[in-house]
Amino acid sequence: MSDVEEQFLFDVFAQRCPSRATLEHLTGKWGTLAMVALHEGTFRFNQLRRRVDGVSEKMLAQTLQALERDGFVHREAQATIPPKVEYSLTERGRHTAELLIGLIQDVESQMPDVMAARERYDAAR
């Protein structure tokens, strides 16, 4: 157990717990999609932006920066002209992306039932 873990009990339900911000970085719309896309391999910024359809340049940059700060994403800038920057997952990132992939697969497999539930809900309103 690290010194940080020994000094602090992490509880995502506690307002000031740092785990809450990390969870938000990972499970926000763009964080989840960026993590799962990066599970496919290393991407340059614009490649990743095309893969994560609909994300703005600003939101993707902010998302990647937060995930890099949390240790899930590795950013490698190569000293070329023009500069070449590539993003990939760290070992921690690969582990977490696999969990997110499981969640996405579960959601996608339930979509016929979800769509039917929405229709029933909307018809009752």
Side-chain angles (χ1 to χ4, degrees):
M1 192 176 290
S2 74
D3 291 339
V4 173
E5 290 172 324
E6 289 176 351
Q7 294 173 14
F8 194 83
L9 178 61
F10 295 101
D11 178 3
V12 75
F13 291 101
Q15 183 176 356
R16 293 183 176 206
C17 182
S19 65
R20 187 179 281 196
T22 300
L23 184 64
E24 188 176 316
H25 297 157
L26 291 167
T27 61
K29 176 170 51 173
W30 305 123
T32 297
L33 295 175
M35 290 285 292
V36 172
L38 287 170
H39 190 267
E40 298 170 4
T42 299
F43 284 84
R44 292 181 70 178
F45 184 86
N46 285 323
Q47 289 175 311
L48 186 57
R49 186 167 174 225
R50 284 189 296 276
R51 181 68 179 111
V52 181
D53 190 27
V55 67
S56 70
E57 186 174 323
K58 178 182 176 182
M59 284 307 304
L60 182 57
Q62 288 175 350
T63 298
L64 290 171
Q65 186 176 37
L67 293 171
E68 180 185 6
R69 183 173 183 247
D70 288 341
F72 295 101
V73 169
H74 173 72
R75 179 183 184 272
E76 185 170 334
Q78 299 174 6
T80 59
I81 298 175
K84 182 178 178 183
V85 179
E86 293 182 329
Y87 296 89
S88 60
L89 294 176
T90 62
E91 190 62 37
R92 175 184 303 122
R94 280 189 291 280
H95 170 76
T96 302
E98 289 171 11
L99 297 171
L100 293 169
I101 288 167
L103 176 62
I104 288 170
Q105 290 171 341
D106 183 66
V107 167
E108 288 177 341
S109 73
Q110 293 187 57
M111 286 311 297
D113 292 336
V114 169
M115 298 302 290
R118 287 179 181 176
E119 286 180 23
R120 287 190 304 274
Y121 179 89
D122 292 345
R125 296 227 156 225

